[in-house]
């Protein structure tokens, strides 16, 4: 469900390497990824998204993760950018509806004036609303961390925690798979 203009790049520090972090994108190739590799392209050292809004522009890591920390940088290069990071999502489906999606959204753009609180940037889409932050200026790079441990989800943008919730509690027993 991508809309043009989200880029990510995650260089690893020596400390991150020691902690077991993996580099998912090196600025040049998409070897760790599968899915719509036409809409997500390496461009000038960044992963650039060109998927049109409403298309099946999903990109997946080849490796599956359970508990994890994902650190990345993003930059909106035009107004109204809409994307997301699917978590615990089966391959080949829309994360927002068949898994969970952490919203990446220029939510202050006028086209989103009627957003619900659980749709703003950083929200677990449709489930846990994020603290609403001011959308970054176009062309500004921002750091984001998504930390998943068990049922707990924590999203931090530029050092500010905007989501710290428990998915099971947020669902109140609804929409939980039979296997938990």
């Amino acid at each position: 469900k991508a809309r043009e203009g989200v880029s990510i790049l995650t260089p690893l520090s020596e400390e991150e390497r020691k902690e077991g972090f993996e580099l998912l994108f090196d600025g040049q190739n998409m070897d760790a990824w599968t899915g719509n590799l036409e809409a997500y392209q390496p461009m000038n050292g960044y992963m650039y998204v060109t998927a049109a809004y409403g298309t099946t522009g999903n990109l997946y890591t080849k490796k599956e993760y359970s508990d994890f920390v994902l650190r990345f940088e993003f930059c909106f290069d035009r107004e109204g950018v809409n994307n997301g990071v699917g978590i615990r999502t089966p391959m080949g489906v829309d994360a927002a509806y068949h898994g969970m999606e952490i919203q990446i959204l220029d939510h202050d753009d006028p086209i989103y004036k009627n957003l619900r609180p659980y749709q703003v940037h950083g929200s677990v889409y449709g489930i846990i609303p994020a603290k609403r932050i001011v959308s970054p200026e176009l062309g500004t790079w921002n750091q984001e961390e998504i930390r998943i441990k068990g049922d707990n989800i924590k999203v931090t943008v530029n050092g500010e925690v905007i989501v710290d919730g428990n998915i099971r509690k947020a669902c109140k027993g609804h929409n939980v798979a039979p296997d938990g």
Side-chain angles (χ1 to χ4, degrees):
K1 104 176 180 52
R3 184 165 179 155
E4 296 178 356
V6 177
S7 301
I8 66 173
L9 177 64
T10 312
L12 293 179
S13 68
E14 185 59 35
E15 181 180 324
E16 288 170 325
R17 280 196 241 339
K18 288 178 182 176
E19 291 175 7
F21 279 80
E22 300 173 26
L23 185 65
L24 295 176
F25 180 65
D26 67 0
Q28 298 177 29
N29 71 65
M30 301 294 288
D31 292 349
W33 303 90
T34 188
N36 190 343
L37 294 170
E38 291 179 22
Y40 293 78
Q41 292 283 315
M43 184 181 293
N44 300 323
Y46 303 101
M47 184 186 298
Y48 191 79
V49 182
T50 60
Y53 182 76
T55 67
T56 56
N58 293 300
L59 184 70
Y60 305 89
T61 55
K62 288 180 180 176
K63 183 177 175 182
E64 292 186 16
Y65 300 89
S66 55
D67 291 350
F68 63 89
V69 175
L70 174 64
R71 293 180 180 147
F72 62 96
E73 296 175 342
F74 69 94
C75 174
F76 300 150
D77 72 344
R78 64 194 68 201
E79 296 175 344
V81 170
N82 182 355
N83 206 309
V85 173
I87 57 174
R88 297 193 176 144
T89 300
M91 294 279 188
V93 299
D94 188 332
Y97 302 102
H98 299 282
M100 290 180 271
E101 177 186 336
I102 307 301
Q103 186 74 294
I104 300 176
L105 182 71
D106 179 14
H107 57 230
D108 290 329
D109 188 275
I111 64 173
Y112 301 121
K113 65 182 177 189
N114 295 320
L115 283 182
R116 298 182 192 274
Y118 56 75
Q119 294 175 303
V120 301
H121 182 93
S123 293
V124 182
Y125 186 83
I127 304 169
I128 302 175
K131 174 184 177 185
R132 189 174 182 129
I133 58 174
V134 174
S135 288
E137 288 186 37
L138 297 182
T140 302
W141 284 96
N142 300 271
Q143 295 180 343
E144 185 158 336
E145 178 181 278
I146 300 170
R147 185 175 293 268
I148 309 296
K149 185 167 184 182
D151 294 335
N152 298 309
I153 300 173
K154 185 175 185 178
V155 179
T156 305
V157 176
N158 296 328
E160 182 177 359
V161 175
I162 61 172
V163 166
D164 193 357
N166 181 290
I167 193 68
R168 191 174 304 272
K169 288 179 184 173
C171 287
K172 299 177 185 170
H174 301 286
N175 299 325
V176 177
D179 65 359

